[in-house]
Amino acid sequence: MSIAHHRRKQPELVRQQLLEVAARLSLEQGAAGVTLDAVSQAAGVSKGGLLHHFPNKMALLNGLFDDLTEKLDRAIEEEMRNDPVAHGRFTRAYLSVVFALEEDADAQRWQVLTIALLSEPQLRERWRLWVADHADEFVGTDSSTGCLLARFAADGLWLADILKSHDVDQPMRQAMRAQLVALSLQ
């Protein structure tokens, strides 16, 4: 009997490992480097094991999207619980999470997902729906021009961080965030 028959199966750990490997390969080699063969080999998982979790590359990208947006939602909800001011609460929580993405444990996976959003119409549509759902949910508190501008600016910083197009030091980031928070209160 092989070692595999004695090993305890941990499907959720395997799934997470596959997502992490796919993210790493995408950053190192670009989206073209994320093949099912490459992911299964780099993760040390049989191709059948990978196909059990993700039957194709799009399913793998969708899994990454689901995982990260669930974490994003939890982080935003936590930030919102700590904010006593209703007007702009979602926007300030969004700002907090986006400004923390650079140091987030999932920063690399966010980079991969953001790049995939630009090239994959299905993922772009899913992100558009995520944004629209949250805009609808918080229309009563976060639909002001100031809130919208603050979220747009945060998205711009997010993209600049991924592209490494601007070198924004911490004091500047803090000043930018403070101004965006002020916008969310207007």
Side-chain angles (χ1 to χ4, degrees), residues 76 90-98 127 130 151 154-155 158:
I76 287 172
F90 169 75
T91 298
R92 287 186 298 282
Y94 185 78
L95 291 171
S96 181
V97 172
V98 168
W127 180 251
W130 185 93
R151 292 193 307 271
D155 289 348
W158 183 351

Side-chain angles (χ1 to χ4, degrees), residues 158-174:
W158 183 351
L159 186 59
D161 285 346
I162 288 169
L163 297 175
K164 298 183 183 346
S165 61
H166 295 76
D167 190 20
V168 182
D169 63 14
Q170 282 305 315
M172 178 60 81
R173 289 175 85 82
Q174 290 170 350

